[in-house]
Amino acid sequence: MSLFDEIMKDLSRAEDLEQLSILLEEYYIEAENDQVIFNEMINVAAYYANRGYRDVQIDILKALYEINVSAKIIYLIAEAYYLYAQYEEAYQWIKKVDDNLRYKNSLLEAKILIELGDFNQAKSLLEKLIANFNLKAEPYVVLAELFYDRQFYEQAKTYYQAAYEYFPEKIDARVVRMKLVELESIKEVIDIQKIESLMLTEDLPIEEANEYYILAIAYFKAQIIDKAIEASIKAIQADRDLVDARLLLMELYETVSQNNELKKTIEQLAIMLPPFHEAIMDIAEIANRHNYFTDDLLEKLIDFYDYVDNVEDQYRIMSYLVNYQLSINKPENALHYLKTLAYAFEDEMSLTHLFAKTYEALNMLDRAEVFYNKALELGVGDSSLVIDAVKFYMNQERYEKAYLITEDFNNSAYQTQELVNLNNELKEILWDKD
């Protein structure tokens, strides 16, 4: 049994952290005069950190610091605080090291400064590291990430490119390549050949779903839709749970009017999305444009209705539910949604347009008229409000009332070419009657 194993077996006797501290004190005493014990205690600290006991790691390292003030121990304490997201403490410790050009210490200090929001000092330190240790890869990547997070994309690209070209064996080349593709993709004019040269290479073939997904986005932005669809499908084949790829595929199918494939994708997303997923509204918007709501999507929309905290999204959901039920000639379902969900609506008067259309579909014309008039008075509802109200009165041959509405909303935000046409049609009808 190794010394480390013996120590851990002894420490395993502790039933709580208080007992563990007592047992550790015995080893600190031994470590004062035994370098081997001292070194093993560093490993013990790492053991507890790896199991989530970062505070125990820090306590052990601080005890070792009291025994022997060394740059190594200082670095380990600073690193532990950094990984524990206690950046002020991490900075205080890393500054205890005198030599600020020592590679590991300076790199850690730069990372801490980034977390503390000191962009200029971190940038300066990383540039010094690159100048003094130009065969080290990580400073290039860290500086690239710093520029990327600050949205200095050209500078970020310069350092990502340097890391990717000169240190492919020392970095996570796939991650850096993805960043380079993203940076190419956000340009106003996309160089798709540059992106393909990065992604479609034998030296680093695409293997991961996210890589296919990023490539699909690039093709979409370059309006190469067939290749975007192909890359999206490959992303889904690599990871069937990659929701973003399915969302992109849905948008692509809509772009090229592949309606059957679009509907299949809506069905799949409606099934696989967890409740309250933020993409539910995006799917519903496309489903609404194509008047295709599955039972799963309707159910998730109802759940999402209670989750949203703004009137605009509440109204959108309610209008999706009501308009779809009206479109499939089920006004009783529309009325059920209105009555059961209106309690959670912050401004029920905003629903008057939807109530009006629903009562009209139910042939409850008196009630429909009350709600149409209230909606027109308040100016609430979607852009079809005035058109719906005019047609409501026209269907009852109440042409004068319909005409007055077209005149009232002339040159308003509700005016459309259709409203102008109805106004002209009503003028002719009333002229013929006279």
Side-chain angles (χ1 to χ4, degrees), residues 194-209:
K194 171 67 174 176
I195 291 172
E196 287 182 328
S197 70
L198 284 166
M199 298 298 292
L200 306 179
T201 170
E202 293 182 0
D203 294 336
L204 193 64
I206 297 177
E207 295 178 353
E208 300 175 3

Side-chain angles (χ1 to χ4, degrees), residues 246-312:
R246 292 184 188 272
L247 291 169
L248 177 60
L249 189 59
M250 177 181 64
E251 191 173 352
L252 290 165
Y253 283 141
E254 185 184 34
T255 301
V256 294
S257 300
Q258 292 189 23
N259 291 334
N260 289 335
E261 295 303 323
L262 171 63
K263 289 177 179 179
K264 287 179 185 177
T265 308
I266 289 173
E267 291 170 5
Q268 292 164 353
L269 282 165
I271 292 170
M272 70 182 295
L273 278 183
F276 315 120
H277 194 287
E278 59 185 7
I280 288 171
M281 293 296 287
D282 297 325
I283 300 167
E285 184 176 344
I286 291 178
N288 184 60
R289 288 201 290 266
H290 296 268
N291 200 40
Y292 187 73
F293 284 87
T294 67
D295 290 342
D296 291 300
L297 183 53
L298 290 171
E299 183 179 338
K300 286 192 166 77
L301 270 177
I302 294 169
D303 290 338
F304 200 74
Y305 179 85
D306 288 326
Y307 176 75
V308 298
D309 57 1
N310 63 82
V311 172
E312 291 80 9

